[in-house]
Amino acid sequence: MPQFSSVPSHRFSIAAYSKTLSSSLFALLPCSISSSSHSSISIPPLRPPLWISATRVYSSWRHRLVPASWDRLHLRRGRLGCLVGEGSRGLLSMETSVEKVASAEDGGEDMARQNGALLKLEELNWDHSFVRELPCDPRSDIMPREVLHACYTKVSPSAEVENPELVAWSDSVAKLLDLEPNEFHRPDFPLIFSGALPLLGGLSYAQCYGGHQFGVWAGQLGDGRAITLGEVLNSRGERWELQLKGAGKTPYSRFADGLAVLRSSIREFLCSEAMNGLGIPTTRALCLVTTGKSVSRDMFYDGNSKDEPGAIVCRVAQSFLRIGSFQIHAFRGKEDLDIIHTLADYTIRHHFPHLEKMSKSEDISFGAGLEGSSAVDLTSNKYAAWSVEVAERTASLVAGWQGVGFTHGVLNTDNMSILGLSIDYGPFGFLDAFDPSYTPNTTDLPGRRYCFANQPDVGLWNIAQFTATLSAANLISQEEVNYAMERYGIKFMDEYQSIMTRKLGLSKYNKHLIGKLLNNMAVDKVDYTNFFRLLSNIKADPKTPEDELLIPLKAVLLDIGNERKQAWISWMQTYIEELVSSGIPDEQRKAAMNSVNPKYILRNYLCQTAIDSAEQGDYEEVRRLLKVMENPYDEQPGMEKYARLPPAWAYRPGVCMLSCSS
């Protein structure tokens, strides 16, 4: 068993990992507007302690040379755009295939048609690199058991199916695969994507991984109800993994049935595509089918199980590797540390190939860790460069979540993608009334570890587990561990500042103005999405009469007394002064703000409305909601009802909050 240095329970926050950050700067974060209990996470001792010494890190940057050829590459993050900006110290942000996904969709179908490349299911170009290059479980049975010295087990879908039906599908995901759209309408399509019929050329397996759940090591977890069908290479050379969630038991199912219900599958399908529409890196969803069989579920763990319609969603991602995919092998002792090395090489080769092409002749080094520590040369160790990029991608992802008001709900290390993607949509939720302590997960209620305000710190905590795993395998040094975590803090703050600046239509970041706004929103429980959308209607006119200042926001400033009204007027006056000083024309600013402030988000009550109809056999609301969420920044005349505030019934259990079993 590898030895890890342990750390007692303590307070852990982003501020410890950047010289540009301090506790006073937490006014930049939503958590700053609530009590201090939400500004960081209390971490219990890990069992066993997989943690590298978390001494507070103070940066001592030493830039020996930054070659002119290493211009900062602007990452494509959908509509949120490139958020590497001021404060980034001129560091390199490496573009990867993940950031190119959106551009692959733009015009991808036209290119495929021109090349005659749109394919039938039988013509997909399979390339099973994961199976070919990584150690396999010698057994292929589905008996629940510990799977040792392996990254996966070969299994086949086994869910019982009876007259499966296609509920919904994504044309944009079909484009990623070069799949002919008419394939969705072939009569055997539901049978293939329920696992009842094999997909020609596929090679199915379930992945082995572990994870920390709510801060405690949970041991082996793995794909307990998800079965990968294989990897497809499209005409642009991009690799896409297809996976059926709810397809039956695997060795990782433990005591569960390996199945999924229509309710949770609709939520996963819609949120995968909604997040893509928002410009947030995410796994995707090709299609959703019912199985025609019932599945028993106890939604609230209260002993009241009921039968629900079964369903299977086909998830698509360049990889479903997680932090826990690496952790499991570190916890199994020295003989499995080589698997971490093998898996790291595989991941870099296929998903971070630019890191293998770095020139060692470029002398790039950065100080990290405690004063007097050695410099970090990212060109001399691809694993160090990789850990930094994983940290930065994760920071960018979490900043994007904070920008659109998304709360994941279950940020365990087995639910954190190594590619910086949103993954595993369970009891998620978007903010309605702004509440930094909001958690959509009933399981999280006692400590609210995964509440909205804590997500930035949780992301860093999870990156600490990842870097500790690489350190245990002797792939990175302590200085490189510190540097990766330091980069997370700086990257998050850079991007969060940039997002909030653009949400307000400002020309530069204004800490006091944004902090005061978030405080006002929390006090008055203002709807997060609708407020920022309406804010674009404010005119930069300092002569606006005081009694007219709040008229553009009257739809979201509800039931506020005179004292609170004066607080908002005071803020609005300062805001207008800032707009005037920026010199940006009103219409130009409005267009820019509306491009980053969505009109439509996947509110839980909208999901529930679609679920209620689907459970009665009517799938039109699921399909209609999908179309709205694919273009959340557009006005979409006639769809205004999808931007309404939640009705009273939306706050009942099972709608606004769900359990992990949901």
Side-chain angles (χ1 to χ4, degrees):
M1 181 71 182
Q3 297 298 311
F4 303 101
S5 55
S6 62
V7 171
S9 180
H10 62 290
R11 308 295 289 179
F12 183 67
S13 78
I14 291 174
Y17 285 90
S18 169
K19 79 171 186 179
T20 65
L21 306 180
S22 68
S23 58
S24 64
L25 286 182
F26 269 91
L28 301 174
L29 300 175
C31 57
S32 68
I33 67 178
S34 61
S35 67
S36 60
S37 63
H38 296 304
S39 64
S40 56
I41 313 165
S42 181
I43 304 176
L46 307 182
R47 303 171 186 174
L50 180 55
W51 182 262
I52 297 299
S53 178
T55 308
R56 291 176 63 87
V57 177
Y58 299 91
S59 174
S60 53
W61 302 94
R62 291 190 293 275
H63 289 219
R64 295 180 182 168
L65 175 65
V66 179
S69 61
W70 279 39
D71 294 328
R72 184 184 300 118
L73 300 177
H74 294 277
L75 304 186
R76 182 183 175 99
R77 289 291 184 188
R79 299 219 185 202
L80 289 177
C82 174
L83 302 175
V84 182
E86 57 274 23
S88 63
R89 305 294 193 278
L91 296 178
L92 174 70
S93 292
M94 305 173 199
E95 185 178 21
T96 71
S97 55
V98 169
E99 282 82 38
K100 297 175 184 175
V101 168
S103 60
E105 290 182 26
D106 299 339
E109 184 176 7
D110 291 339
M111 181 190 302
R113 287 188 187 279
Q114 292 170 8
N115 297 335
L118 287 179
L119 307 172
K120 296 183 180 299
L121 287 172
E122 293 82 3
E123 299 170 334
L124 292 174
N125 180 26
W126 296 95
D127 181 64
H128 305 294
S129 66
F130 197 90
V131 170
R132 183 175 63 244
E133 301 176 27
L134 295 171
C136 175
D137 177 9
R139 293 169 55 177
S140 58
D141 61 90
I142 60 173
M143 180 180 295
R145 53 191 165 81
E146 285 285 299
V147 175
L148 303 175
H149 320 310
C151 294
Y152 65 94
T153 302
K154 291 181 180 178
V155 294
S156 298
S158 60
E160 291 187 27
V161 172
E162 183 178 329
N163 299 319
E165 294 181 330
L166 179 62
V167 175
W169 62 92
S170 171
D171 289 327
S172 64
V173 176
K175 291 178 186 179
L176 296 177
L177 305 175
D178 297 334
L179 184 64
E180 170 61 54
N182 288 336
E183 289 294 277
F184 289 117
H185 306 296
R186 54 191 278 178
D188 60 349
F189 189 91
L191 288 167
I192 293 172
F193 284 92
S194 63
L197 289 179
L199 185 53
L200 185 66
L203 184 58
S204 58
Y205 65 89
Q207 191 188 147
C208 178
Y209 51 81
H212 282 89
Q213 297 190 326
F214 296 90
V216 178
W217 178 247
Q220 177 181 290
L221 299 168
D223 287 334
R225 58 175 174 171
I227 296 177
T228 292
L229 298 178
E231 303 161 55
V232 169
L233 288 177
N234 66 15
S235 58
R236 296 169 294 278
E238 297 164 342
R239 182 177 302 275
W240 294 100
E241 182 178 331
L242 277 64
Q243 184 183 86
L244 299 184
K245 185 172 182 178
K249 287 186 177 182
T250 77
Y252 313 103
S253 298
R254 291 172 288 176
F255 301 105
D257 56 18
L259 306 176
V261 297
L262 182 59
R263 169 173 47 84
S264 62
S265 299
I266 286 174
R267 287 172 54 81
E268 173 123 23
F269 176 84
L270 288 176
C271 200
S272 299
E273 296 308 286
M275 292 292 272
N276 180 68
L278 289 167
I280 306 294
T282 179
T283 59
R284 305 293 301 276
L286 176 66
C287 62
L288 169 63
V289 300
T290 61
T291 62
K293 305 293 285 186
S294 294
V295 176
S296 179
R297 283 291 179 268
D298 181 358
M299 185 191 301
F300 299 112
Y301 301 127
D302 60 2
N304 295 313
S305 298
K306 72 171 187 175
D307 287 344
E308 301 185 47
I312 295 173
V313 62
C314 180
R315 308 196 298 183
V316 177
Q318 292 193 315
S319 174
F320 286 95
L321 282 168
R322 307 123 189 283
I323 289 175
S325 303
F326 297 84
Q327 284 183 286
I328 186 67
H329 305 295
F331 275 91
R332 284 181 166 164
K334 293 182 179 179
E335 57 186 319
D336 274 16
L337 293 181
D338 285 344
I339 297 180
I340 299 174
H341 199 152
T342 301
L343 186 56
D345 285 341
Y346 167 84
T347 306
I348 293 170
R349 180 164 57 252
H350 289 288
H351 303 293
F352 300 80
H354 54 283
L355 297 182
E356 294 195 303
K357 300 173 183 177
M358 289 188 303
S359 172
K360 294 191 186 323
S361 65
E362 306 284 12
D363 183 14
I364 310 294
S365 62
F366 307 101
L370 299 174
E371 292 292 342
S373 64
S374 58
V376 175
D377 180 1
L378 295 182
T379 66
S380 66
N381 184 358
K382 68 179 180 180
Y383 306 110
W386 176 49
S387 69
V388 168
E389 185 161 345
V390 172
E392 290 198 346
R393 287 194 190 191
T394 304
S396 297
L397 175 68
V398 177
W401 290 348
Q402 304 303 105
V404 298
F406 175 77
T407 308
H408 184 281
V410 201
L411 286 180
N412 300 327
T413 57
D414 57 294
N415 294 335
M416 291 293 288
S417 164
I418 211 69
L419 299 185
L421 307 174
S422 308
I423 189 172
D424 292 339
Y425 295 104
F428 66 83
F430 285 85
L431 291 173
D432 293 319
F434 184 61
D435 176 8
S437 67
Y438 168 67
T439 179
N441 185 356
T442 56
T443 313
D444 191 37
L445 277 177
R448 296 183 185 265
R449 176 185 176 88
Y450 296 144
C451 72
F452 178 74
N454 275 353
Q455 290 184 133
D457 275 358
V458 170
L460 178 59
W461 197 94
N462 289 342
I463 288 298
Q465 310 313 310
F466 174 62
T467 55
T469 298
L470 299 187
S471 177
N474 295 316
L475 299 182
I476 61 176
S477 68
Q478 179 61 56
E479 289 75 19
E480 290 162 342
V481 166
N482 287 342
Y483 180 66
M485 303 226 292
E486 193 172 0
R487 279 307 305 163
Y488 176 99
I490 294 171
K491 181 74 167 181
F492 174 83
M493 298 306 292
D494 281 350
E495 299 213 5
Y496 183 74
Q497 287 183 44
S498 179
I499 290 171
M500 296 307 294
T501 298
R502 297 200 294 129
K503 285 179 74 70
L504 272 72
L506 304 176
S507 59
K508 62 182 183 299
Y509 183 74
N510 186 319
K511 171 187 170 182
H512 175 77
L513 183 72
I514 293 174
K516 186 63 177 177
L517 169 63
L518 296 179
N519 184 75
N520 283 344
M521 292 179 70
V523 170
D524 294 312
K525 297 179 170 55
V526 176
D527 187 84
Y528 188 80
T529 299
N530 290 1
F531 174 86
F532 282 108
R533 187 72 177 193
L534 291 174
L535 191 64
S536 67
N537 296 322
I538 300 297
K539 306 297 183 184
D541 182 4
K543 297 180 182 179
T544 303
E546 186 173 296
D547 60 354
E548 297 179 13
L549 285 172
L550 303 183
I551 290 177
L553 303 176
K554 64 181 180 180
V556 290
L557 297 183
L558 307 172
D559 301 322
I560 60 172
N562 187 62
E563 182 180 350
R564 294 304 307 152
K565 182 178 180 180
Q566 289 303 313
W568 278 103
I569 288 174
S570 175
W571 182 87
M572 187 63 70
Q573 290 170 335
T574 305
Y575 177 57
I576 290 176
E577 289 176 4
E578 193 76 5
L579 296 183
V580 171
S581 67
S582 73
I584 303 172
D586 288 339
E587 290 306 310
Q588 179 182 335
R589 183 181 65 257
K590 178 181 175 67
M593 291 175 67
N594 285 349
S595 74
V596 296
N597 292 316
K599 181 170 182 175
Y600 304 97
I601 56 167
L602 190 64
R603 298 178 190 265
N604 275 343
Y605 87 90
L606 296 176
C607 278
Q608 191 60 47
T609 300
I611 290 166
D612 291 342
S613 295
E615 289 182 337
Q616 300 304 312
D618 180 359
Y619 307 136
E620 284 307 309
E621 186 62 18
V622 176
R623 297 167 186 173
R624 191 159 39 244
L625 191 52
L626 170 65
K627 295 303 180 186
V628 172
M629 295 303 154
E630 286 178 332
N631 299 286
Y633 298 94
D634 297 345
E635 286 294 330
Q636 303 188 55
M639 297 292 108
E640 290 82 2
K641 70 175 184 178
Y642 293 101
R644 291 175 185 165
L645 297 177
W649 61 263
Y651 295 97
R652 71 171 189 252
V655 179
C656 66
M657 297 189 71
L658 301 101
S659 70
C660 290
S661 71
S662 304

